[in-house]
Amino acid sequence: MRSAHRVETVRAAEAALMARLPDGALMRRAAAGLAAACAGLLPRVYGSRIVVLTGSGDNGGDALYAGARLARRGARVTAVLLGKRAHPGGLAALTGAGGRVADDPYDALADADLVLDGITGIGGHGGLRPDAVPVARAARGSDAVVVAVDLPSGVEADTGEVTGEALRADATVTFGTYKPGLLVDPARSYAGALRLVDIGLGPHLPEPDLEALQHADVARLLPAPGAASDKYRRGVVGIVAGSARYPGAAVLAVTGALRGGAGAVRYVGHAADAVIAAHPEALVHAGPPARAGRVQAWVVGPGLGDEHGVADVLASDVPVLVDADGLRGLTPAALAARSAPTLLTPHAGEAAALLGTSREEVEAERLAAVRELAARYGATVLLKGATTLVCPAGGDGVVRVNPTGTPWLATAGSGDVLSGLGGSLLAAGLSAVDAGSVAAYVHGLAGRRAATRGDAGGAGGAGAPVTAVEVAVGVAGAWADVVGAGALR
């Protein structure tokens, strides 16, 4: 599992560790890990041209000390000084190892193989300073690999916000623990590939602020039937979705639930014919949800339009997932009387409506938005997007960040599949946080598999366009990949 901590927590852990170490030992540890990571990104170190962009803080010192290590291995290292002063020990180490200070930063960047971004560290706010912007642009416009030191300069470490100009990295080498901004968009898209260097902070770090599940974590949470299992023990999920106008939403939600391991699906709504045609195993009911029969969880909202059913489902005493049209007009008061868990799954536009703000504000401050939603509505919230976030009810506690997915998942009906999948996991007994996190993880992997036509390793924008049906079909393969990886550990 990847864990991330806020700057204040990191500073306290560093202080506690430094009190037990000789002066400069922590920076030397960071520099050694940084230099090793950079060496791995170069065809060879000897003769490589490396430019160190350094500000005046300890982040610049890490970069300079790493540059000194690479210079001693035969790299031609040039420092570009962008702060009021350079870290004195780091600069002395670099020049002592044969590195030099650039007379013209643009000449140095023109033929660089690798650029170390040590302009600002985790304490920086508000984007790059004006004097650093043209140099950062030149670095990004060069053919060099750009490596951020701890965090890309210009992004907010604690929130993932990007409020000014920032330097987009190809890779980020971070120290001790991940920083929230490395895992949350929009800053995540500036970080590139992530590498964590262990500098000994672990014993001094409390519970993280954010965490991202990995294959082994998800494998432990995925429900598996036992020898004595029947459909009720596996979980029966009720789905109130679809309408005469949007029958496909009901089909996709039911498909997601069945692919997600539900023992049975009880469907209530006006798309019964379409559901039965696609899934004859579904149990269809014409009456209100309360009369549909025994369920362990409900999903309500996908493609529902103006049809009724939300209030009836919220009056139940089992976990409920509310998505899409079920979120329209939802109020905190409607959830206040519930004793069972509630999982809300809005996208940014729906989240904005629930908060009474703009979509742009939600997308710029995703971490703050998901915490505010969970606090205001007293429900677990899964905020969909480029980085899906899952926040426990109340807004406190550890926020889960989903690391899987592909931009091709931004397609009609994909969210309906996710809703059904999440509902099936709720019915299987997972908590709302675990159900949302695992559903997002498997759904993201399924999207990758569909986009790359079965290549589970595909990520980013690799592959080709997909449909929601293809994503649903990909759930089985993604599930098997996760279980298989867990069995190998």
Side-chain angles (χ1 to χ4, degrees):
M1 185 178 296
R2 285 180 168 177
S3 298
H5 295 79
R6 293 171 58 85
V7 171
E8 181 181 13
T9 305
V10 174
R11 295 293 194 211
E14 288 176 341
L17 179 57
M18 285 190 291
R20 302 171 56 186
L21 296 174
D23 286 348
L26 195 61
M27 184 170 285
R28 287 193 293 273
R29 287 182 184 180
L34 177 59
C38 291
L41 294 171
L42 292 165
R44 68 177 189 279
V45 175
Y46 188 86
S48 294
R49 296 175 296 273
I50 297 173
V51 175
V52 179
L53 306 181
T54 177
S56 56
D58 286 348
N59 186 258
D62 294 333
L64 289 167
Y65 276 116
R69 284 177 170 268
L70 295 167
R72 286 195 292 270
R73 293 179 59 180
R76 290 185 284 170
V77 184
T78 303
V80 174
L81 310 184
L82 293 170
K84 294 180 179 178
R85 59 178 181 83
H87 187 280
L91 186 58
L94 178 64
T95 55
R100 66 183 187 89
V101 175
D103 296 320
D104 185 332
Y106 305 104
D107 281 348
L109 288 167
D111 61 354
D113 298 306
L114 185 143
V115 173
L116 272 174
D117 166 22
I119 304 172
T120 61
I122 58 176
H125 298 287
L128 291 168
R129 299 185 310 274
D131 62 310
V133 169
V135 177
R137 288 178 178 173
R140 186 64 275 174
S142 71
D143 293 329
V145 175
V146 177
V147 178
V149 180
D150 213 12
L151 189 81
S153 293
V155 308
E156 299 288 333
D158 283 347
T159 66
E161 297 174 55
V162 182
T163 57
E165 185 140 358
L167 179 50
R168 194 178 298 273
D170 297 299
T172 296
V173 179
T174 197
F175 309 122
T177 180
Y178 293 96
K179 316 310 182 287
L182 295 175
L183 304 181
V184 179
D185 273 320
R188 187 191 74 158
S189 65
Y190 285 77
L194 298 178
R195 176 167 176 177
L196 177 66
V197 173
D198 183 3
I199 56 172
L201 292 187
H204 305 281
L205 290 169
E207 181 180 71
D209 294 282
L210 275 78
E211 62 186 15
L213 300 181
Q214 304 296 294
H215 263 34
D217 307 307
V218 177
R220 286 192 290 268
L221 292 170
L222 284 174
S229 293
D230 57 28
K231 63 186 177 185
Y232 294 107
R233 288 187 177 92
R234 289 183 60 189
V236 179
V237 59
I239 294 182
V240 182
S243 58
R245 185 177 181 184
Y246 303 114
V251 173
L252 291 167
V254 170
T255 304
L258 290 169
R259 293 280 178 172
V265 174
R266 297 190 187 277
Y267 172 73
V268 179
H270 294 279
D273 290 345
V275 168
I276 287 295
H279 298 292
E281 66 268 45
L283 309 173
V284 173
H285 302 270
R291 297 182 184 177
R294 176 182 174 187
V295 301
Q296 279 79 47
W298 282 104
V299 173
V300 61
L304 198 61
D306 296 324
E307 301 293 341
H308 299 292
V310 178
D312 289 345
V313 168
L314 292 177
S316 71
D317 59 357
V318 299
V320 172
L321 184 153
V322 187
D323 185 35
D325 292 330
L327 297 167
R328 285 193 295 137
L330 191 67
T331 64
L335 304 180
R338 283 189 50 75
S339 58
T342 307
L343 174 59
L344 310 181
T345 61
H347 56 55
E350 292 159 344
L354 291 170
L355 291 173
T357 186
S358 70
R359 182 181 189 123
E360 290 74 20
E361 287 182 276
V362 169
E363 289 178 335
E365 303 175 23
R366 294 181 57 78
L367 188 54
V370 75
R371 286 197 183 277
E372 175 60 23
L373 276 169
R376 188 180 301 186
Y377 286 81
T380 299
V381 177
L382 183 157
L383 178 58
K384 293 181 281 196
T387 46
T388 292
L389 303 177
V390 182
C391 183
D396 297 323
V398 182
V399 172
R400 294 259 179 90
V401 184
N402 182 52
T404 67
T406 167
W408 295 117
L409 275 171
T411 186
S414 174
D416 303 331
V417 175
L418 176 63
S419 294
L421 178 56
S424 71
L425 295 169
L426 284 173
L430 272 65
S431 71
V433 169
D434 285 343
S437 304
V438 171
Y441 193 98
V442 174
H443 183 259
L445 287 181
R448 288 186 190 176
R449 289 183 65 91
T452 55
R453 302 307 187 256
D455 177 9
V466 302
T467 66
V469 171
E470 289 172 321
V471 174
V473 170
V475 167
W479 190 299
D481 287 341
V482 170
V483 172
L488 293 174
R489 293 184 65 87

